[in-house]
Amino acid sequence: MEEVAFYYSHRLFHHRLLYKHFHKMHHEWQSPISITAIYAHPIEHVLSNMGPVLLGPLILGSHVATIWLWVSLALISTLNAHSGYHLPFFPSPEAHDFHHLKFNQCYGVLGVLDLLHGTDDKFRATKCFSRHLMMLSLIPPREAYPDYTPMEKVIKGKQC
């Protein structure tokens, strides 16, 4: 429920008629930090941030403790996606970082609807996509999946 509601509401807020009035505020940072995760217009925050998270538990009639736990996990996930860090044992922030970089890619939470709609095709073509996984070790992702092979020169500005 969250993936469907968030993907379509988020994509709707990227529409040219709505973006400048609502969602542009959230995209003031190309490299987001956690505090900016909920930095949004109040209407967008209710419809696109809070609504999708609460939709599933409310439709299913979940217990209030279950809703509290779900909302807490969703908030931690959102903070992680905007952290700029690829923390071990947490979902990868690469797709959302790419979204803030390009604006018209990677709208979803899980990426399922991005794959179905082709709104992650540019992301999948980058080296960043190879790092888009949950790291189960303490090795930094940029070390495990470098932007270049050791023999190549790094061209400034061409890294993810």
Side-chain angles (χ1 to χ4, degrees):
M1 296 298 301
E2 180 187 10
E3 175 72 3
V4 171
F6 181 76
Y7 177 87
Y8 290 113
S9 64
H10 187 195
R11 196 163 172 189
L12 180 66
F13 277 111
H14 273 266
H15 187 276
R16 63 180 179 81
L17 297 176
L18 298 177
Y19 182 80
K20 64 182 174 184
H21 299 293
F22 300 102
H23 196 56
K24 185 177 182 178
M25 174 188 242
H26 179 73
H27 276 279
E28 288 178 8
W29 286 269
Q30 279 189 343
S31 297
I33 57 173
S34 291
I35 195 70
T36 66
I38 58 171
Y39 180 64
H41 189 280
I43 292 173
E44 177 194 0
H45 187 62
V46 169
L47 297 178
S48 189
N49 294 343
M50 292 173 47
V53 172
L54 294 172
L55 188 62
L58 293 176
I59 288 173
L60 295 173
S62 298
H63 188 275
V64 69
T66 305
I67 295 172
W68 180 82
L69 179 62
W70 174 251
V71 169
S72 297
L73 290 172
L75 186 56
I76 289 169
S77 176
T78 300
L79 293 172
N80 177 64
H82 288 84
S83 73
Y85 294 103
H86 199 139
L87 302 171
F89 311 105
F90 276 85
S92 167
E94 298 284 344
H96 200 71
D97 285 350
F98 195 79
H99 171 73
H100 276 262
L101 185 65
K102 300 295 181 183
F103 299 108
N104 63 352
Q105 292 279 298
C106 305
Y107 295 103
V109 176
L110 301 173
V112 175
L113 291 172
D114 285 308
L115 180 62
L116 289 174
H117 290 291
T119 52
D120 66 349
D121 55 344
K122 292 176 185 166
F123 173 62
R124 289 178 176 275
T126 67
K127 186 69 175 175
C128 300
F129 182 69
S130 67
R131 288 190 294 267
H132 186 56
L133 46 89
M134 183 183 295
M135 297 297 290
L136 300 176
S137 73
L138 298 177
I139 298 171
R142 290 198 183 271
E143 187 177 310
Y145 303 94
D147 285 337
Y148 59 93
T149 58
M151 302 303 282
E152 289 180 274
K153 275 188 159 180
V154 178
I155 300 170
K156 190 172 181 171
K158 293 293 182 184
Q159 295 180 356
C160 297

